[in-house]
Amino acid sequence: WDYQDSEMFLYRNRIIEESGDLKGALANLKKIEADALDKQYVWQTRARIQIKLGQKAAAEAVYRKLLEVNNENKAYHTGLQESLGLSPSKDGKWTEEQTKSLCEMYDDFKAKWKYCSYAKRFPLTFTTGKAFSERVDEYMRPKLRKGVPSLFRDLKSLYGDKEKVKTIEETVKSYYENLKKDRRFSPSDEVDSETPNVFVWVLYFLASHHEFLGRPMEALKLLDEGIEHTPTAIDLHVLRARTFKHQRDFQKAYDILNYARELDLADRYLNTKCVRYAFRAGKVEDGERIVKLFLRDSDTLDSLFEMQAMWYELSYGMSQLKLGNYAKALTKLYSVEKHFEDISEDQFDFHTWCLRKTTLRAYVDMLKYQENLRGHRFFLKAASEIIKVFVTLYDKPKREEAAGAGNGEADLSKLTAKERRAIKKRQKRLAAKAKKKEEAEAKKR
């Protein structure tokens, strides 16, 4: 059998499973296994069905086999835990016996897979007290030595537990004191056993910790100490800017982040971040100037529409809303809506292609994706802001209407002729679309 036949077999098996005939699906899977080319999908499906049928011992063997292929796959670990009866209760907690079994299993995994990050990180979720303190210490030290900026974000999910927050704070504070005094993590280590860079990353983590917990003054004090230690540490400047942003000092935040950007002009992330901060501070011209730095010489700001740079259009639209330029804001916000229309229309090319190539499983997944396409945060943000603009315009006093502002005419007058034509064209298109929908509904009646 070739690839197309294999896809048909697997799609038929999926239909059987979704119909509710789990035993039939499992029997069919056994029948087609030799002919199916996507072996990993076969194993995943078998394990999933076996769990549903209560065949947990068989599912355990399959999940262990899958972990040999990819030991970082969270779904495989979750499936293995469920097959062993080690899943948490509805409130997300494990029993003492489950915790003991999980600790033993993941200690074995750590010994077996030296570089498996999940085997080191997941135990921090279910351990408590002394066990948690030892494991979080073991987890954090290598990452602080390597200078992993995302370490705090990695551990942030643990901050729902006050005891764990306290333990993490005490652990990192001890790092801070020992590194500052003797350049070592703990008194049991050799003096000067760590490099100076480790101290910077401990300061960064501790500042992130305080900033997240709503202690901006403590965070800024640590960041100032870190910048004095290593003035070129860009991550410290970025965190300092974020701290001021959360205190709603947008101008100060932009100035700091712009300084950080100038330390590394080749960093696209910093460029993007700085543009957003500039718009938030009302520095529209600065934002436009900075975003052009990563465009080709032949490109203009209009090229960002072709690139579907929705982050830029949202940031620009929000900045114009703050300035009261509703027409300019709507132009950019409607661009986001247009991108989602284009994404939806672009999928039409795949309808015939998927049927011709018989990639039916991927085709069904694509259809499901289409159903939730407009659930994306960019679309939701743009849509909510557009609604707010029209509600604001509708609620304006009558005297403003007399001055020409009630229907947005005053705002439209601030635009170029090209922008006004674009808005009017969009309004006509939306009106035609609404009329067509009304006619279709009338025919159904």
Side-chain angles (χ1 to χ4, degrees):
W1 303 99
D2 60 14
Y3 177 78
Q4 293 183 355
D5 294 318
S6 170
E7 282 294 306
M8 290 300 293
F9 293 149
L10 293 174
Y11 179 61
R12 182 173 182 272
N13 182 264
R14 176 185 279 194
I15 292 173
I16 296 171
E17 181 187 354
E18 291 178 351
S19 70
D21 184 8
L22 298 179
K23 290 183 179 179
L26 193 60
N28 177 259
L29 202 61
K30 185 177 181 181
K31 181 180 177 182
I32 66 172
E33 183 174 6
D35 301 321
L37 300 180
D38 191 348
K39 300 298 183 185
Q40 199 165 332
Y41 176 81
V42 171
W43 299 341
Q44 292 170 356
T45 306
R46 176 184 288 121
R48 183 174 64 248
I49 294 173
Q50 286 171 337
I51 287 285
K52 291 177 180 178
L53 291 173
Q55 300 174 12
K56 294 190 174 182
E60 178 195 347
V62 179
Y63 276 121
R64 288 187 182 278
K65 187 178 180 180
L66 284 165
L67 283 170
E68 293 293 339
V69 176
N70 182 3
N71 55 43
E72 294 286 5
N73 190 305
K74 183 179 178 181
Y76 298 165
H77 283 279
T78 303
L80 179 61
Q81 293 159 23
E82 190 174 353
S83 67
L84 292 169
L86 299 176
S87 298
S89 58
K90 291 181 179 179
D91 60 355
K93 295 182 179 179
W94 288 263
T95 64
E96 188 176 341
E97 186 178 342
Q98 285 178 319
T99 301
K100 184 179 178 182
S101 299
L102 283 168
C103 284
E104 292 173 357
M105 183 170 73
Y106 279 96
D107 284 341
D108 291 340
F109 285 163
K110 276 199 299 183
K112 185 178 181 180
W113 301 313
K114 184 179 178 181
Y115 298 105
C116 179
S117 180
Y118 190 91
K120 300 169 187 174
R121 172 63 179 81
F122 180 66
L124 302 181
T125 307
F126 58 81
T127 52
T128 55
K130 186 179 179 181
F132 173 78
S133 179
E134 291 172 353
R135 287 178 183 272
V136 78
D137 177 42
E138 181 186 358
Y139 184 76
M140 291 176 71
R141 287 195 188 195
K143 294 187 180 295
L144 290 169
R145 289 191 183 105
K146 291 179 182 178
V148 179
S150 59
L151 176 59
F152 176 76
R153 186 178 292 273
D154 181 13
L155 297 179
K156 196 162 67 173
S157 61
L158 303 173
Y159 276 54
D161 188 325
K162 292 182 180 179
E163 288 300 316
K164 290 184 178 181
V165 173
K166 184 180 178 182
T167 301
I168 291 172
E169 183 171 326
E170 290 173 354
T171 302
V172 183
K173 277 186 175 179
S174 70
Y175 293 164
Y176 169 77
E177 292 166 1
N178 290 311
L179 285 165
K180 189 173 184 178
K181 183 181 178 183
D182 299 317
R183 231 167 69 190
R184 56 182 176 177
F185 277 116
S186 67
S188 60
D189 299 334
E190 292 183 12
V191 176
D192 295 336
S193 58
E194 304 298 335
T195 63
N197 284 340
V198 177
F199 181 61
V200 175
W201 291 111
V202 168
L203 284 169
Y204 180 79
F205 183 95
L206 199 53
S208 300
H209 168 85
H210 286 304
E211 198 278 328
F212 180 74
L213 294 177
R215 306 168 188 164
M217 299 310 297
E218 289 91 333
L220 290 171
K221 184 179 178 181
L222 290 165
L223 289 168
D224 289 340
E225 184 178 353
I227 291 169
E228 184 180 353
H229 182 281
T230 310
T232 56
I234 294 174
D235 292 282
L236 295 177
H237 292 286
V238 173
L239 179 56
R240 191 161 176 260
R242 188 187 310 137
T243 304
F244 278 105
K245 182 193 78 171
H246 290 163
Q247 298 307 305
R248 305 195 67 78
D249 190 345
F250 299 131
Q251 180 61 54
K252 182 75 171 175
Y254 163 65
D255 292 338
I256 294 169
L257 195 62
N258 192 46
Y259 175 79
R261 179 188 66 82
E262 291 173 347
L263 292 174
D264 186 0
L265 295 173
D267 193 318
R268 187 182 291 271
Y269 168 77
L270 285 176
N271 183 275
T272 300
K273 203 77 174 171
C274 193
V275 171
R276 298 178 70 175
Y277 273 58
F279 285 149
R280 193 177 285 112
K283 302 284 186 178
V284 178
E285 291 182 1
D286 285 356
E288 291 177 336
R289 173 181 55 81
I290 294 168
V291 79
K292 285 180 181 178
L293 297 174
F294 275 84
L295 295 177
R296 290 175 296 186
D297 293 337
S298 58
D299 288 340
T300 63
L301 289 174
D302 292 336
S303 304
L304 293 169
F305 177 82
E306 302 299 327
M307 298 176 193
Q308 295 186 342
M310 288 184 269
W311 67 267
Y312 173 80
E313 290 159 345
L314 277 173
S315 298
Y316 183 93
M318 295 296 292
S319 69
Q320 293 298 329
L321 284 180
K322 286 184 179 179
L323 297 172
N325 299 329
Y326 295 128
K328 286 187 176 182
L330 286 172
T331 300
K332 290 298 182 184
L333 294 173
Y334 268 120
S335 295
V336 176
E337 189 263 345
K338 180 64 168 62
H339 294 322
F340 280 90
E341 276 188 22
D342 292 341
I343 292 169
S344 182
E345 290 173 2
D346 288 344
Q347 303 306 316
F348 286 120
D349 295 334
F350 292 96
H351 290 293
T352 54
W353 187 89
C354 288
L355 293 173
R356 188 170 70 252
K357 294 293 184 180
T358 65
T359 54
L360 296 176
R361 289 182 297 139
Y363 178 62
V364 171
D365 290 339
M366 186 268 287
L367 293 178
K368 290 179 180 178
Y369 165 76
Q370 282 286 86
E371 291 175 1
N372 300 307
L373 177 62
R374 285 175 172 78
H376 192 279
R377 61 190 178 92
F378 280 172
F379 181 85
L380 295 176
K381 181 65 175 175
S384 64
E385 293 304 325
I386 289 170
I387 292 168
K388 287 178 184 177
V389 169
F390 283 117
V391 169
T392 301
L393 292 173
Y394 182 83
D395 289 342
K396 279 195 172 185
K398 295 294 182 181
R399 62 177 180 273
E400 291 192 11
E401 290 185 15
N407 296 317
E409 293 171 11
D411 296 309
L412 287 173
S413 66
K414 298 177 184 178
L415 299 181
T416 63
K418 184 180 177 181
E419 290 172 327
R420 286 198 296 272
R421 285 197 300 270
I423 288 181
K424 289 177 180 178
K425 186 177 178 181
R426 180 177 295 280
Q427 289 172 344
K428 287 181 181 179
R429 181 168 58 80
L430 291 174
K433 197 173 182 180
K435 186 178 179 182
K436 190 176 180 181
K437 187 177 179 181
E438 289 176 4
E439 290 174 353
E441 289 177 354
K443 286 181 181 179
K444 288 180 182 179
R445 293 170 190 165

